[in-house]
Coordinates of all heavy atoms in Angstrom, one line a residue:
M211 N 11.7 98.2 90.8 CA 12.5 98.9 89.8 C 13.4 97.9 89.2 O 13.6 97.9 88.0 CB 13.2 100.1 90.5 CG 14.1 100.8 89.6 SD 13.1 101.8 88.5 CE 14.4 102.7 87.7
K212 N 14.0 97.0 90.1 CA 15.0 96.1 89.6 C 14.3 95.0 88.7 O 14.8 94.6 87.7 CB 15.7 95.4 90.7 CG 16.9 94.6 90.3 CD 17.6 94.1 91.6 CE 18.8 93.3 91.2 NZ 19.6 92.9 92.3
T213 N 13.1 94.6 89.1 CA 12.3 93.6 88.4 C 11.9 94.1 87.0 O 11.9 93.4 86.0 CB 11.1 93.1 89.1 OG1 10.3 94.2 89.4 CG2 11.5 92.4 90.4
N214 N 11.5 95.4 87.0 CA 11.2 96.0 85.7 C 12.4 96.0 84.7 O 12.2 95.8 83.5 CB 10.6 97.4 85.9 CG 9.2 97.3 86.5 OD1 8.5 96.3 86.4 ND2 8.8 98.5 87.1
L215 N 13.6 96.3 85.3 CA 14.8 96.4 84.4 C 15.1 95.0 83.9 O 15.5 94.8 82.8 CB 15.9 96.9 85.2 CG 17.3 97.0 84.5 CD1 17.2 98.0 83.4 CD2 18.3 97.5 85.5
I216 N 14.9 93.9 84.8 CA 15.2 92.6 84.3 C 14.2 92.1 83.3 O 14.6 91.5 82.3 CB 15.2 91.6 85.6 CG1 16.3 91.9 86.5 CG2 15.2 90.2 85.1 CD1 16.3 91.2 87.8
K217 N 13.0 92.5 83.5 CA 11.9 92.2 82.5 C 12.2 92.8 81.1 O 12.1 92.2 80.0 CB 10.5 92.6 82.9 CG 10.0 91.7 84.0 CD 8.6 92.2 84.4 CE 8.1 91.3 85.6 NZ 6.8 91.8 86.1
A218 N 12.7 94.1 81.2 CA 13.0 94.8 79.9 C 14.2 94.2 79.3 O 14.2 94.1 78.0 CB 13.3 96.3 80.3
I219 N 15.2 93.7 80.0 CA 16.4 93.1 79.4 C 15.9 91.7 78.8 O 16.3 91.5 77.7 CB 17.4 92.8 80.5 CG1 18.0 94.2 80.9 CG2 18.5 91.9 80.0 CD1 19.0 94.1 82.1
Y220 N 15.1 91.0 79.4 CA 14.6 89.7 78.9 C 13.8 90.0 77.6 O 13.9 89.2 76.6 CB 13.8 88.9 79.9 CG 14.6 88.2 80.9 CD1 14.2 88.1 82.2 CD2 15.8 87.5 80.6 CE1 15.0 87.4 83.2 CE2 16.5 86.9 81.5 CZ 16.1 86.8 82.8 OH 16.9 86.2 83.8
L221 N 13.0 91.0 77.6 CA 12.1 91.3 76.5 C 13.0 91.7 75.3 O 12.8 91.3 74.2 CB 11.2 92.4 76.8 CG 10.2 92.8 75.7 CD1 9.3 91.6 75.3 CD2 9.4 94.0 76.1
T222 N 14.0 92.6 75.6 CA 14.9 93.0 74.5 C 15.7 91.8 74.0 O 15.9 91.7 72.8 CB 15.9 94.1 75.1 OG1 15.1 95.1 75.7 CG2 16.8 94.7 74.0
F223 N 16.2 91.0 74.9 CA 16.9 89.8 74.4 C 16.1 88.9 73.6 O 16.5 88.4 72.5 CB 17.6 89.1 75.6 CG 18.3 87.9 75.2 CD1 19.5 87.9 74.6 CD2 17.8 86.6 75.5 CE1 20.2 86.8 74.3 CE2 18.5 85.5 75.1 CZ 19.7 85.5 74.5
G224 N 14.9 88.6 74.0 CA 14.0 87.8 73.3 C 13.6 88.3 71.9 O 13.6 87.6 70.9
L225 N 13.3 89.6 71.8 CA 12.9 90.2 70.5 C 14.1 90.2 69.6 O 14.0 90.0 68.4 CB 12.4 91.6 70.7 CG 11.0 91.6 71.4 CD1 10.6 93.1 71.6 CD2 10.0 90.9 70.5
S226 N 15.3 90.5 70.1 CA 16.5 90.6 69.3 C 16.9 89.2 68.7 O 17.3 89.0 67.6 CB 17.7 91.2 70.0 OG 18.0 90.4 71.1
S227 N 16.7 88.2 69.6 CA 17.0 86.8 69.1 C 16.0 86.4 68.1 O 16.4 85.7 67.1 CB 17.0 85.8 70.3 OG 15.7 85.7 70.8
L228 N 14.7 86.8 68.2 CA 13.7 86.4 67.2 C 14.1 87.1 65.8 O 13.9 86.6 64.7 CB 12.4 86.8 67.6 CG 11.7 85.9 68.6 CD1 10.3 86.4 69.0 CD2 11.5 84.5 67.9
A229 N 14.5 88.4 66.0 CA 14.7 89.2 64.7 C 16.0 88.7 64.0 O 16.1 88.7 62.8 CB 14.9 90.7 65.1
L230 N 17.0 88.2 64.8 CA 18.2 87.7 64.2 C 18.1 86.3 63.6 O 18.7 86.0 62.5 CB 19.4 87.7 65.2 CG 19.8 89.1 65.7 CD1 20.8 89.0 66.8 CD2 20.3 90.0 64.6
T231 N 17.3 85.5 64.2 CA 17.2 84.1 63.7 C 16.3 84.1 62.4 O 16.5 83.3 61.5 CB 16.7 83.2 64.7 OG1 15.4 83.6 65.2 CG2 17.6 83.1 65.9
G232 N 15.2 84.9 62.4 CA 14.3 84.9 61.3 C 13.5 83.7 61.2 O 13.4 82.8 62.1
C233 N 12.8 83.5 60.1 CA 11.9 82.4 59.9 C 12.3 81.7 58.6 O 12.7 82.4 57.7 CB 10.4 82.9 59.8 SG 9.9 83.8 61.2
S234 N 12.0 80.5 58.5 CA 12.2 79.7 57.3 C 10.9 79.7 56.5 O 9.8 79.8 57.1 CB 12.7 78.4 57.5 OG 11.8 77.6 58.2
D235 N 10.9 79.5 55.3 CA 9.7 79.5 54.5 C 9.0 78.1 54.5 O 8.0 77.9 53.9 CB 10.0 79.9 53.0 CG 10.4 81.3 52.9 OD1 10.0 82.1 53.8 OD2 11.0 81.7 51.9
S236 N 9.7 77.1 55.1 CA 9.1 75.8 55.0 C 7.8 75.7 55.8 O 6.9 74.9 55.4 CB 10.1 74.8 55.6 OG 10.4 75.0 56.9
W237 N 7.7 76.4 56.9 CA 6.4 76.3 57.6 C 5.3 77.1 57.0 O 4.1 77.0 57.4 CB 6.6 76.8 59.1 CG 6.9 78.3 59.2 CD1 8.1 78.9 59.1 CD2 5.9 79.3 59.5 NE1 8.0 80.2 59.2 CE2 6.6 80.5 59.5 CE3 4.6 79.2 59.7 CZ2 6.0 81.7 59.8 CZ3 3.9 80.5 59.9 CH2 4.6 81.7 60.0
L238 N 5.6 77.8 56.0 CA 4.6 78.6 55.2 C 3.8 77.7 54.2 O 2.8 78.1 53.7 CB 5.1 79.8 54.6 CG 5.6 80.9 55.6 CD1 6.3 82.0 54.8 CD2 4.5 81.5 56.4
K239 N 4.4 76.6 53.8 CA 3.8 75.7 52.8 C 2.6 75.1 53.4 O 2.6 74.6 54.5 CB 4.8 74.7 52.4 CG 6.0 75.2 51.6 CD 7.0 74.1 51.2 CE 8.2 74.8 50.5 NZ 9.2 73.8 50.2
P240 N 1.5 75.2 52.6 CA 0.2 74.6 53.1 C 0.3 73.1 53.1 O 0.8 72.5 52.2 CB -0.9 75.1 52.1 CG -0.1 75.4 50.9 CD 1.3 75.8 51.3
E241 N -0.3 72.5 54.1 CA -0.5 71.1 54.2 C -1.9 70.8 54.1 O -2.7 71.0 55.0 CB 0.1 70.5 55.6 CG 1.5 70.8 55.7 CD 2.0 70.3 57.1 OE1 1.2 69.6 57.8 OE2 3.2 70.5 57.4
P242 N -2.4 70.2 52.9 CA -3.8 70.0 52.7 C -4.3 69.0 53.7 O -3.7 68.0 54.1 CB -3.8 69.4 51.3 CG -2.4 68.9 51.0 CD -1.5 69.7 51.9
L243 N -5.6 69.2 54.1 CA -6.2 68.3 55.1 C -6.7 67.0 54.3 O -6.9 66.0 54.9 CB -7.4 69.0 55.8 CG -6.9 70.2 56.6 CD1 -8.1 70.9 57.2 CD2 -6.0 69.7 57.7
S244 N -7.0 67.2 53.1 CA -7.5 66.0 52.3 C -6.9 66.1 50.9 O -6.5 67.2 50.5 CB -8.9 65.9 52.2 OG -9.5 67.0 51.5
F245 N -6.9 65.0 50.2 CA -6.3 65.0 48.8 C -7.4 64.7 47.8 O -7.2 63.9 46.9 CB -5.2 63.9 48.8 CG -4.1 64.2 49.7 CD1 -3.9 63.6 50.9 CD2 -3.1 65.1 49.3 CE1 -2.8 63.9 51.7 CE2 -2.0 65.5 50.1 CZ -1.9 64.9 51.4
Y246 N -8.5 65.3 48.0 CA -9.6 65.1 47.0 C -9.5 66.1 45.9 O -10.0 67.2 45.9 CB -11.0 65.3 47.7 CG -11.3 64.2 48.7 CD1 -11.6 64.5 50.0 CD2 -11.3 62.9 48.3 CE1 -11.9 63.5 50.9 CE2 -11.5 61.9 49.2 CZ -11.9 62.2 50.5 OH -12.2 61.3 51.4
E247 N -8.7 65.8 44.9 CA -8.6 66.5 43.7 C -8.9 65.5 42.6 O -8.7 64.3 42.7 CB -7.2 67.1 43.6 CG -6.1 66.2 43.6 CD -4.8 66.9 43.6 OE1 -4.5 67.8 44.4 OE2 -4.0 66.5 42.7
P248 N -9.4 66.0 41.5 CA -9.9 65.1 40.4 C -8.9 64.1 39.9 O -9.2 62.9 39.6 CB -10.4 66.0 39.3 CG -10.7 67.3 40.0 CD -9.7 67.4 41.2
S249 N -7.6 64.5 39.8 CA -6.6 63.6 39.2 C -6.3 62.4 40.1 O -5.9 61.4 39.7 CB -5.3 64.4 38.9 OG -4.8 64.9 40.1
V250 N -6.6 62.6 41.4 CA -6.3 61.6 42.4 C -7.6 60.8 42.7 O -7.6 59.6 42.6 CB -5.7 62.1 43.7 CG1 -5.5 61.1 44.7 CG2 -4.4 62.8 43.4
T251 N -8.7 61.5 43.0 CA -9.9 60.9 43.4 C -10.6 60.1 42.3 O -11.1 59.0 42.5 CB -10.8 61.9 44.0 OG1 -10.2 62.6 45.0 CG2 -12.1 61.3 44.6
L252 N -10.7 60.7 41.1 CA -11.5 60.1 40.0 C -10.7 59.1 39.2 O -11.2 58.7 38.2 CB -12.1 61.2 39.2 CG -13.0 62.2 40.0 CD1 -13.5 63.2 39.0 CD2 -14.1 61.5 40.7
S253 N -9.5 58.7 39.6 CA -8.7 57.8 38.8 C -9.0 56.4 39.2 O -8.6 55.5 38.5 CB -7.3 58.1 39.1 OG -6.9 57.9 40.4
T254 N -9.8 56.1 40.3 CA -10.1 54.8 40.7 C -11.6 54.6 40.7 O -12.4 55.6 40.7 CB -9.6 54.4 42.1 OG1 -10.2 55.3 43.0 CG2 -8.1 54.6 42.1
K255 N -12.1 53.3 40.6 CA -13.5 53.0 40.6 C -14.2 53.5 41.9 O -15.2 54.1 41.9 CB -13.7 51.6 40.4 CG -15.2 51.1 40.4 CD -15.3 49.6 40.3 CE -16.8 49.3 40.4 NZ -17.0 47.8 40.4
E256 N -13.5 53.2 43.0 CA -14.0 53.6 44.4 C -14.2 55.1 44.5 O -15.2 55.6 45.0 CB -13.1 53.0 45.5 CG -13.1 51.6 45.6 CD -12.2 50.9 44.6 OE1 -11.3 51.6 44.0 OE2 -12.3 49.7 44.4
G257 N -13.2 55.9 44.0 CA -13.3 57.3 44.0 C -14.4 57.9 43.2 O -15.1 58.8 43.6
L258 N -14.6 57.3 42.0 CA -15.7 57.7 41.2 C -17.0 57.4 41.8 O -17.9 58.3 41.8 CB -15.6 57.1 39.8 CG -16.6 57.6 38.7 CD1 -16.5 59.0 38.5 CD2 -16.4 56.8 37.4
E259 N -17.2 56.2 42.4 CA -18.4 55.9 43.0 C -18.7 56.8 44.3 O -19.8 57.1 44.5 CB -18.4 54.4 43.4 CG -18.6 53.5 42.3 CD -18.5 52.0 42.7 OE1 -18.2 51.7 43.9 OE2 -18.8 51.1 41.9
A260 N -17.7 57.1 45.0 CA -17.8 58.0 46.1 C -18.3 59.4 45.7 O -19.2 60.0 46.3 CB -16.5 58.1 46.9
A261 N -17.8 59.9 44.6 CA -18.2 61.2 44.1 C -19.6 61.1 43.6 O -20.4 62.0 43.9 CB -17.3 61.7 43.0
L262 N -20.0 60.1 42.9 CA -21.4 60.0 42.4 C -22.4 59.8 43.5 O -23.5 60.3 43.5 CB -21.5 58.8 41.4 CG -20.9 59.0 40.1 CD1 -20.9 57.8 39.2 CD2 -21.4 60.2 39.4
T263 N -22.0 59.1 44.6 CA -22.9 58.9 45.8 C -23.1 60.2 46.4 O -24.2 60.5 46.8 CB -22.2 57.9 46.7 OG1 -22.0 56.6 46.0 CG2 -23.1 57.7 47.9
T264 N -22.0 61.0 46.6 CA -22.2 62.4 47.2 C -23.1 63.2 46.4 O -24.0 63.9 46.9 CB -20.8 63.0 47.4 OG1 -20.0 62.1 48.1 CG2 -20.9 64.3 48.0
C265 N -22.9 63.2 45.0 CA -23.8 64.0 44.1 C -25.2 63.6 44.3 O -26.2 64.4 44.3 CB -23.4 63.9 42.7 SG -21.8 64.7 42.3
H266 N -25.5 62.2 44.3 CA -26.8 61.7 44.4 C -27.4 62.1 45.8 O -28.7 62.5 45.8 CB -26.8 60.2 44.3 CG -28.2 59.6 44.3 ND1 -28.6 58.9 45.4 CD2 -29.1 59.5 43.4 CE1 -29.9 58.5 45.1 NE2 -30.1 58.8 43.9
R267 N -26.7 62.1 46.8 CA -27.2 62.4 48.1 C -27.6 63.9 48.2 O -28.6 64.3 48.7 CB -26.2 62.1 49.2 CG -26.7 62.4 50.6 CD -25.7 62.2 51.7 NE -24.6 63.1 51.5 CZ -23.4 63.0 51.8 NH1 -23.0 61.8 52.3 NH2 -22.4 63.9 51.6
Q268 N -26.8 64.8 47.6 CA -27.0 66.2 47.6 C -28.3 66.5 46.7 O -29.1 67.4 47.1 CB -25.8 67.0 47.1 CG -24.6 66.9 48.0 CD -24.9 67.5 49.3 OE1 -25.7 68.4 49.5 NE2 -24.2 67.0 50.4
M269 N -28.4 65.8 45.6 CA -29.5 66.1 44.7 C -30.8 65.6 45.4 O -31.9 66.3 45.4 CB -29.4 65.3 43.4 CG -28.5 66.0 42.4 SD -28.4 65.2 40.8 CE -29.9 64.4 40.5
R270 N -30.8 64.5 46.1 CA -32.0 64.0 46.8 C -32.4 64.9 47.9 O -33.5 65.2 48.1 CB -31.6 62.6 47.4 CG -32.9 62.0 48.0 CD -32.6 60.6 48.5 NE -31.3 60.5 49.2 CZ -30.5 59.5 49.1 NH1 -30.8 58.4 48.4 NH2 -29.4 59.5 49.8
Y271 N -31.4 65.5 48.6 CA -31.7 66.4 49.7 C -32.3 67.7 49.1 O -33.3 68.2 49.6 CB -30.4 66.8 50.4 CG -30.7 67.8 51.5 CD1 -31.3 67.5 52.7 CD2 -30.3 69.1 51.3 CE1 -31.5 68.5 53.7 CE2 -30.6 70.1 52.2 CZ -31.2 69.8 53.4 OH -31.4 70.7 54.4
Y272 N -31.7 68.2 48.0 CA -32.3 69.4 47.4 C -33.7 69.2 46.9 O -34.6 70.1 47.1 CB -31.4 69.7 46.2 CG -31.9 71.0 45.4 CD1 -31.7 72.2 46.0 CD2 -32.5 70.9 44.2 CE1 -32.2 73.4 45.3 CE2 -32.9 72.0 43.5 CZ -32.7 73.3 44.1 OH -33.2 74.4 43.4
Y273 N -34.0 68.1 46.3 CA -35.4 67.9 45.7 C -36.4 67.3 46.7 O -37.6 67.6 46.6 CB -35.3 66.9 44.5 CG -34.9 67.6 43.3 CD1 -33.6 67.5 42.8 CD2 -35.7 68.5 42.6 CE1 -33.1 68.1 41.7 CE2 -35.2 69.2 41.5 CZ -34.0 69.0 41.0 OH -33.5 69.6 39.9
M274 N -36.0 66.5 47.7 CA -37.0 65.8 48.5 C -37.1 66.3 50.0 O -38.1 66.1 50.6 CB -36.6 64.3 48.6 CG -36.7 63.7 47.2 SD -38.3 63.9 46.4 CE -38.0 63.3 44.8
E275 N -36.1 66.9 50.5 CA -36.2 67.4 51.9 C -37.0 68.6 52.0 O -37.2 69.4 51.1 CB -34.8 67.7 52.5 CG -33.9 66.4 52.6 CD -34.5 65.5 53.6 OE1 -34.9 65.8 54.7 OE2 -34.4 64.2 53.3
D276 N -37.6 68.8 53.2 CA -38.4 70.1 53.5 C -39.6 70.1 52.6 O -39.9 71.2 52.0 CB -37.5 71.3 53.5 CG -38.2 72.5 54.2 OD1 -39.0 72.2 55.0 OD2 -37.8 73.6 53.8
N277 N -40.3 69.0 52.4 CA -41.5 68.9 51.5 C -41.2 69.2 50.1 O -42.1 69.6 49.3 CB -42.6 69.8 52.1 CG -43.1 69.4 53.4 OD1 -43.1 68.2 53.8 ND2 -43.4 70.4 54.3
G278 N -40.0 69.1 49.7 CA -39.7 69.2 48.3 C -40.1 70.5 47.5 O -40.8 70.5 46.5
P279 N -39.7 71.7 48.1 CA -40.1 72.9 47.4 C -39.5 73.1 46.0 O -40.1 73.6 45.1 CB -39.5 74.0 48.3 CG -38.4 73.4 49.1 CD -38.8 72.0 49.2
A280 N -38.3 72.6 45.8 CA -37.7 72.7 44.4 C -38.4 71.8 43.5 O -38.7 72.3 42.3 CB -36.2 72.3 44.5
L281 N -38.7 70.6 43.8 CA -39.5 69.7 42.9 C -40.9 70.3 42.6 O -41.3 70.2 41.5 CB -39.6 68.3 43.6 CG -40.1 67.2 42.7 CD1 -39.3 67.0 41.5 CD2 -40.3 66.0 43.5
A282 N -41.5 70.8 43.7 CA -42.9 71.3 43.4 C -42.8 72.6 42.6 O -43.7 72.7 41.7 CB -43.5 71.7 44.8
T283 N -41.9 73.4 42.8 CA -41.8 74.6 41.9 C -41.5 74.2 40.5 O -42.1 74.8 39.5 CB -40.6 75.5 42.5 OG1 -40.9 75.8 43.8 CG2 -40.5 76.8 41.7
E284 N -40.6 73.2 40.2 CA -40.3 72.9 38.9 C -41.5 72.2 38.2 O -41.7 72.4 37.0 CB -39.1 71.9 38.9 CG -37.8 72.7 39.2 CD -36.6 71.8 38.9 OE1 -36.7 70.8 38.3 OE2 -35.5 72.2 39.3
M285 N -42.3 71.4 39.0 CA -43.5 70.8 38.4 C -44.5 71.9 38.0 O -45.2 71.8 37.0 CB -44.0 69.8 39.3 CG -43.2 68.5 39.4 SD -44.1 67.3 40.3 CE -43.0 65.9 40.1
I286 N -44.7 72.9 38.9 CA -45.8 73.9 38.7 C -45.4 74.7 37.5 O -46.3 75.1 36.7 CB -46.0 74.8 40.0 CG1 -46.6 73.9 41.0 CG2 -46.7 76.0 39.7 CD1 -46.7 74.6 42.4
F287 N -44.2 75.1 37.3 CA -43.8 75.9 36.2 C -43.5 75.1 34.9 O -43.0 75.7 33.9 CB -42.6 76.8 36.5 CG -43.0 77.9 37.5 CD1 -42.5 77.9 38.8 CD2 -43.9 78.9 37.2 CE1 -42.8 78.8 39.7 CE2 -44.3 79.8 38.1 CZ -43.7 79.8 39.4
S288 N -43.8 73.9 34.9 CA -43.7 73.1 33.7 C -45.2 72.6 33.3 O -46.2 73.0 33.9 CB -42.8 71.9 33.9 OG -43.3 71.0 34.8
D289 N -45.2 71.7 32.4 CA -46.6 71.1 32.0 C -46.9 69.9 32.8 O -47.8 69.2 32.5 CB -46.6 70.9 30.5 CG -45.5 69.9 30.1 OD1 -44.7 69.6 30.9 OD2 -45.6 69.5 28.9
V290 N -46.2 69.5 33.8 CA -46.4 68.3 34.6 C -47.5 68.5 35.6 O -48.3 67.6 35.8 CB -45.1 67.9 35.3 CG1 -45.3 66.7 36.2 CG2 -44.0 67.6 34.2
A291 N -47.5 69.7 36.3 CA -48.5 69.9 37.4 C -49.1 71.3 37.3 O -48.5 72.2 36.6 CB -47.8 69.8 38.7
V292 N -50.2 71.5 37.9 CA -50.9 72.8 38.0 C -51.1 73.1 39.4 O -51.5 72.3 40.2 CB -52.3 72.8 37.2 CG1 -53.0 74.1 37.3 CG2 -52.0 72.4 35.7
T293 N -50.9 74.4 39.8 CA -51.1 74.8 41.2 C -52.6 74.8 41.5 O -53.4 75.2 40.6 CB -50.4 76.1 41.5 OG1 -50.6 76.4 42.8 CG2 -50.9 77.2 40.6
A294 N -53.0 74.5 42.7 CA -54.4 74.5 43.1 C -54.7 75.8 43.7 O -55.9 76.0 44.0 CB -54.6 73.4 44.1
V295 N -53.9 76.7 43.9 CA -54.2 78.0 44.5 C -54.8 78.9 43.4 O -54.1 79.1 42.4 CB -52.9 78.7 45.1 CG1 -53.2 80.0 45.7 CG2 -52.4 77.7 46.1
S296 N -55.9 79.5 43.6 CA -56.6 80.3 42.6 C -56.7 81.8 43.1 O -57.0 82.6 42.3 CB -58.0 79.8 42.3 OG -58.8 79.8 43.5
D297 N -56.5 82.1 44.4 CA -56.6 83.4 44.8 C -55.3 83.8 45.5 O -55.2 83.9 46.7 CB -57.8 83.5 45.8 CG -57.7 82.6 47.0 OD1 -56.9 81.6 46.9 OD2 -58.3 82.8 47.9
F298 N -54.3 84.3 44.7 CA -53.1 84.8 45.2 C -53.4 86.2 45.7 O -54.0 87.0 45.1 CB -52.0 84.9 44.1 CG -51.5 83.5 43.7 CD1 -51.7 83.1 42.4 CD2 -50.7 82.9 44.6 CE1 -51.2 81.8 42.1 CE2 -50.2 81.7 44.3 CZ -50.4 81.2 42.9
S299 N -52.9 86.5 46.9 CA -53.1 87.8 47.5 C -52.1 88.8 46.8 O -51.0 88.5 46.5 CB -52.8 87.8 49.0 OG -51.5 87.4 49.2
G300 N -52.6 90.0 46.5 CA -51.8 91.0 45.8 C -51.8 90.9 44.3 O -51.1 91.7 43.7
C301 N -52.5 90.0 43.7 CA -52.5 89.9 42.2 C -53.7 90.5 41.7 O -54.8 90.5 42.2 CB -52.4 88.4 41.8 SG -50.8 87.7 42.2

């Protein structure tokens, strides 16, 4: 019984001290993990080359990885290539 009363007093004291002190707004300001924004990154030659390298890598992955489905689809639906499948099921 006595330990429950002591715990209740500590809890009441802790909650009241938190309520009275409050919080400052300084810890709510976001701290960015990186500073990759166009005005900073693309202002130097190295930043521009890094951005272009990333774009090139993503385009190469999109067109060439996994047997190149995007490249094959674009070629089939243009005048560059013709599909060899003649018997589509369900058509």
Side-chain angles (χ1 to χ4, degrees):
M211 178 75 174
K212 188 174 186 179
T213 59
N214 288 339
L215 181 61
I216 292 173
K217 287 180 184 177
I219 291 172
Y220 282 141
L221 181 65
T222 305
F223 178 72
L225 290 177
S226 63
S227 66
L228 283 176
L230 293 175
T231 58
C233 303
S234 65
D235 291 338
S236 63
W237 67 276
L238 293 174
K239 293 180 183 174
E241 295 179 9
L243 299 176
S244 64
F245 296 99
Y246 291 127
E247 58 184 52
S249 63
V250 175
T251 305
L252 302 179
S253 62
T254 63
K255 180 183 175 188
E256 292 81 16
L258 184 60
E259 286 178 353
L262 289 175
T263 302
T264 303
C265 290
H266 184 258
R267 185 183 64 212
Q268 295 297 332
M269 281 181 32
R270 184 176 47 216
Y271 177 78
Y272 178 75
Y273 280 106
M274 300 300 174
E275 292 294 318
D276 197 23
N277 295 326
L281 184 62
T283 303
E284 286 189 13
M285 285 185 175
I286 287 172
F287 290 114
S288 68
D289 58 353
V290 176
V292 178
T293 181
V295 179
S296 61
D297 55 343
F298 287 115
S299 62
C301 291

